Structure formats: structure tokens, C-alpha cells
Amino acid sequence: MKAYFQKIYQDGFERFVGELEQRMDIEEKTFVITANPETLMIGAETADFDEILKSDKTMIVPDGIGVVKAAQMLNLPVKERVTGVEIVQKLFELLNEKGRSLYMLGAKKEVLDKLLERIDKEYPNIQVKGAKDGYIKNKDAVFDEIVDAKPDVVLVALGIPVQEQLIYKHYDRFDKGIFVGVGGSFDVLSGTKKRAPEFFIKLNLEWLYRIVKEPKRIKRFYVSNVKFISKIQRMKRETNEN
Ligand code: UDP
């Protein structure tokens, strides 16, 4: 877990997307993991995902407020949340401005279709190289297609950790591309699911809104967050003792 925190992006959203733009311009291959406490707990308990989080190939950004607060408790100057939804929105803007290309994999077919419609209307200069829903069986075959398409941005929305495992498995086959595991972002950006009202986001209570909207998340949320907090407290004690 310590190793994850040492990698977490500290400088906030604007700087981060500035860096992504530069990377897009020089075609530097990039793999972004958006982390909430649950992501880090899955890493701590799953060997292959632990390897992915620790790898030099990946960047970790603090998507959840729990990750920002935990980092601050550990005396790391992490400025603010850098959320998956906002990264995707910014990437759409950049791709549109630059006339660059996109491939999307994940979410339900109707969600993806709605999102494609929105892209067509609002970001007409994006070259959409392909889009496949997340319920087709052979996702490795989709990656064969993505390798051939050489898109500038690849968004994978299958949930944690499957989306990262799949990207990681195929990552070395690419020479360029910004790869992001984006969880439920397609649901939000297609208009299918609402993001929390601004009020909740400002007060750092987006997590609460999500739980109230989707009570099936409570158990998952509770288990991983309670474990996360005790892990952070232990790490903090160790830091203070040293
Ligand atoms: N999903 C998918 N295929 C699957 C399981 C999930 O495409 O087999 C999609 C789902 O439709 C949703 C996203 O993956 O769009 C996961 O969203 P969630 O909010 O659960 O993500 P997380 O909380 O894991 O970031």
C-alpha cells in the first residue's frame, strides 16, 4: 500500500490534464489508474493487481476523497481529487481540438450508443476508431482490433480491476496511446446515470450520493473502507515511529 501512495499524483486536476495533453502531443504511451480506497484495497489483496498498481508503466490519480485524505494523513501533499469522469471529459475536448482518435470498450450497448451520439454532436472532430460494449465475451479479440487501430486514446469501462488487468495484459503491444480504466464514466457521460449534484461534489460527499443511489454498493463500500482506514492508521503510526 505504501508503494501506491508514493506514486499518487499530487498536483491536482489542471496540472494532470496539462500533462496528459503534452503526452498526447508527443505520443508518449500512458496508462492511468483512477483510484478510490476500494481500488487500493483490491490491490493490497490481489497479487496481479498489486503488480499493476506498483508498475512503472502506470500512473495513479486520486479519484476518491478517501485517497486524498489518506495521502494527506501520510504527509503527502496531494492537492485534490482527479476524477475519472473529469479526465474523460477533458480527453474528449482535447481529442476534438486536435482531431485525434479514440477507441472505447465497456458499458452496456445502449449506454455506449448514447455516448457515441453525444460525441458525434458535441465533439465532431474526434475520430472514433471503434466502440465495443463491455458484455461481449472475447475482450482479448477487441484488443487485437485496438492494436491495429492505433488510437490516441483508449478508454476501458469494465470496472475495477478487470479494466486495468485487460489494459495491462495488452499494453506492451502498443507504441502509443493514453489508456484509462474509467469505471462507470460512460454511464455518467452518456446521461444514463446522474453524477452527484455540484453541492455533494463540493462538500466531498459524492461517495454518499452514490451509496444512496445504489444501495447494493454499501457492503462493498463498507468492507473496503473500514479496512482501508485501519491500514492507513497503521501506516501513519509506522511513519511517526520512524
Ligand atoms: N461493465 C461492463 N461489463 C461487465 C461488467 C461491468 O461493461 O462485465 C461496465 C458497467 O456497465 C459499468 C462499468 O463497467 O459501466 C463499471 O462501473 P462501476 O461504476 O461499477 O465501476 P467501478 O465502481 O468499478 O469503478
Side-chain angles (χ1 to χ4, degrees):
M1 179 78 73
K2 235 187 209 144
Y4 311 157
F5 276 97
Q6 272 146 15
K7 278 182 62 177
I8 280 177
Y9 191 79
Q10 299 185 341
D11 299 337
F13 181 77
E14 287 306 325
R15 278 257 182 119
F16 182 72
V17 292
E19 206 169 298
L20 278 189
E21 179 172 8
Q22 261 178 10
R23 283 164 175 261
M24 189 184 287
D25 290 343
I26 60 171
E27 300 191 340
E28 184 175 342
K29 200 163 65 152
T30 302
F31 181 175
V32 182
I33 301 177
T34 68
N36 53 41
E38 205 178 338
T39 317
L40 303 184
M41 284 313 300
I42 297 173
E45 292 168 356
T46 320
D48 70 325
F49 192 43
D50 177 65
E51 179 190 322
I52 296 172
L53 285 165
K54 284 182 182 155
S55 164
D56 291 345
K57 295 173 189 167
T58 62
M59 298 177 87
I60 307 178
V61 297
D63 187 317
I65 189 63
V67 174
V68 174
K69 296 283 179 206
Q72 290 169 349
M73 272 175 72
L74 299 167
N75 300 325
L76 297 164
V78 169
K79 195 173 160 203
E80 60 187 5
R81 297 177 67 197
V82 179
T83 69
V85 178
E86 285 165 66
I87 291 174
V88 175
Q89 223 156 7
K90 185 69 193 188
L91 284 172
F92 285 170
E93 283 167 26
L94 291 172
L95 289 171
N96 191 49
E97 256 169 56
K98 297 171 194 284
R100 285 191 178 259
S101 62
L102 169 69
Y103 200 109
M104 297 190 290
L105 165 62
K108 294 193 182 128
K109 174 120 189 7
E110 58 270 28
V111 169
L112 201 56
D113 287 344
K114 269 206 221 163
L115 185 55
L116 284 166
E117 240 173 69
R118 182 173 171 206
I119 290 174
D120 195 43
K121 272 205 202 106
E122 291 179 35
Y123 307 99
N125 295 325
I126 297 181
Q127 298 172 48
V128 179
K129 292 265 173 106
K132 291 272 154 63
D133 74 78
Y135 295 85
I136 51 170
K137 282 233 168 72
N138 192 348
K139 302 194 178 70
D140 292 310
V142 177
F143 261 84
D144 294 341
E145 210 180 288
I146 306 177
V147 170
D148 288 340
K150 302 184 178 64
D152 296 300
V153 170
V154 178
L155 304 176
V156 183
L158 299 170
I160 310 158
V162 179
Q163 55 199 18
E164 285 80 14
Q165 286 164 329
L166 192 65
I167 296 172
Y168 195 72
K169 182 171 169 192
H170 294 282
Y171 193 64
D172 289 344
R173 303 172 67 194
F174 292 89
D175 295 321
K176 67 159 187 182
I178 294 173
F179 296 75
V180 194
V182 296
S185 299
F186 293 176
D187 300 271
V188 173
L189 294 170
S190 64
T192 315
K193 262 193 207 170
K194 281 216 160 54
R195 203 180 164 194
E198 199 62 24
F199 167 81
F200 281 81
I201 297 175
K202 285 252 162 67
L203 288 178
N204 284 323
L205 287 174
E206 191 167 13
W207 57 274
L208 179 62
Y209 179 86
R210 277 194 95 182
I211 286 184
V212 173
K213 280 278 186 193
E214 289 176 77
K216 66 174 192 304
R217 287 178 177 273
I218 281 185
K219 184 158 179 262
R220 202 174 97 169
F221 179 88
Y222 180 78
V223 171
S224 56
N225 279 272
V226 168
K227 283 193 196 163
F228 181 72
I229 291 166
S230 66
K231 231 181 163 64
I232 299 301
Q233 284 170 338
R234 207 173 320 133
M235 277 165 63
K236 189 168 168 56
R237 275 199 300 278
E238 281 164 15
T239 318
N240 290 343
E241 279 157 18
N242 289 334

